[in-house]
Amino acid sequence: MIGRLRGILLEKQPPELLIEVNGIGYEVQMPMSCFYELPNVGEEAIIYTHFVVREDAQLLYGFNTVKERALFREVIKANGVGPKLGLGILSGMTASQFVASVEREDISTLVKLPGVGKKTAERLVVEMKDRLKGWGMGDLFTPHTDAAPLDAPVQSNAEEEAISALLALGYKPTQASKVIAQLAKPDMTAEQLIRDALKSMV
């Protein structure tokens, strides 16, 4: 089991990153709520990971804190929720916001997340409410602040990168293209576009 990586960030292509540890490059998928806090390419990062082995792939999911990883593990225990959907859920809102939505039984907010219909949202609330008691809203999670922007040499690349990230998180092509077109401004980076798009869709 790979539980933690400490190394140099080589690439950031949301929601995936490449981190080099002792000469080995690990591809890691990360919720956007965590991705925003990564350091710049070329700098050192510490990532807590969840390793998934399937018949056709071995996948690493990354998080900035142990608590965020623990929440991801609780989410994917819910009936009908796999790692990809878990990634989408924790990209659409921060860990703290998700806990709050479950505690408040806020179905209307949960159904706005990619891949989450009414039945899945109700299942998440029913299955997770008791498991999340005591998680609280305090300093269990790191605060999500504005991080250094992704490199985006030209605007079209930023828009394409943002749309690609939304598709990887489970949004439909027409939905992703439409929201990016509405939000795009000449000086916006891909990361800013993704952040604003996710906010507008939740």
Side-chain angles (χ1 to χ4, degrees):
M1 176 70 73
I2 301 170
R4 180 178 179 270
L5 295 173
R6 178 179 179 178
I8 303 299
L9 280 177
L10 298 181
E11 295 177 13
K12 289 162 67 175
Q13 182 73 35
E16 190 170 280
L17 61 95
L18 181 66
I19 183 170
E20 182 178 343
V21 182
N22 295 327
I24 300 173
Y26 293 89
E27 292 179 344
V28 183
Q29 296 185 56
M30 202 172 212
M32 291 309 302
S33 55
C34 295
F35 204 97
Y36 300 141
E37 296 182 25
L38 289 171
N40 293 321
V41 170
E43 295 182 7
E44 184 178 84
I46 296 175
I47 299 168
Y48 296 92
T49 58
H50 176 77
F51 188 40
V52 175
V53 178
R54 300 192 323 223
E55 285 185 11
D56 59 343
Q58 296 184 23
L59 304 169
L60 271 175
Y61 295 89
F63 308 89
N64 294 322
T65 68
V66 173
K67 271 291 181 182
E68 286 167 333
R69 182 181 63 184
L71 180 61
F72 176 79
R73 288 174 171 172
E74 290 295 337
V75 169
I76 62 175
K77 284 180 188 175
N79 189 25
V81 179
K84 184 175 181 179
L85 182 53
L87 190 75
I89 289 170
L90 296 182
S91 288
M93 57 176 59
T94 66
S96 297
Q97 289 168 340
F98 177 75
V99 172
S101 295
V102 171
E103 289 177 342
R104 292 195 306 265
E105 300 184 19
D106 188 357
I107 302 296
S108 61
T109 295
L110 293 173
V111 295
K112 294 176 183 177
L113 297 167
V116 178
K118 188 177 180 183
K119 287 184 179 179
T120 302
E122 290 172 347
R123 195 181 306 126
L124 283 167
V125 168
V126 170
E127 292 187 27
M128 299 198 67
K129 193 166 184 182
D130 287 340
R131 297 210 301 263
L132 295 181
K133 278 181 180 175
W135 281 61
M137 302 297 293
D139 52 5
L140 292 174
F141 307 102
T142 54
H144 293 281
T145 56
D146 287 341
L150 293 173
D151 296 326
V154 294
Q155 176 62 15
S156 60
N157 286 352
E159 291 179 27
E160 288 170 11
E161 195 171 323
I163 291 170
S164 176
L166 293 176
L167 295 179
L169 294 171
Y171 289 96
K172 294 178 181 177
T174 51
Q175 185 182 18
S177 299
K178 184 178 178 181
V179 72
I180 294 301
Q182 290 172 343
L183 294 170
K185 294 177 184 176
D187 58 346
M188 290 182 78
T189 64
E191 187 168 330
Q192 290 167 338
L193 275 170
I194 295 164
R195 181 188 282 118
D196 290 351
L198 290 171
K199 283 181 181 177
S200 73
M201 291 189 283
V202 174

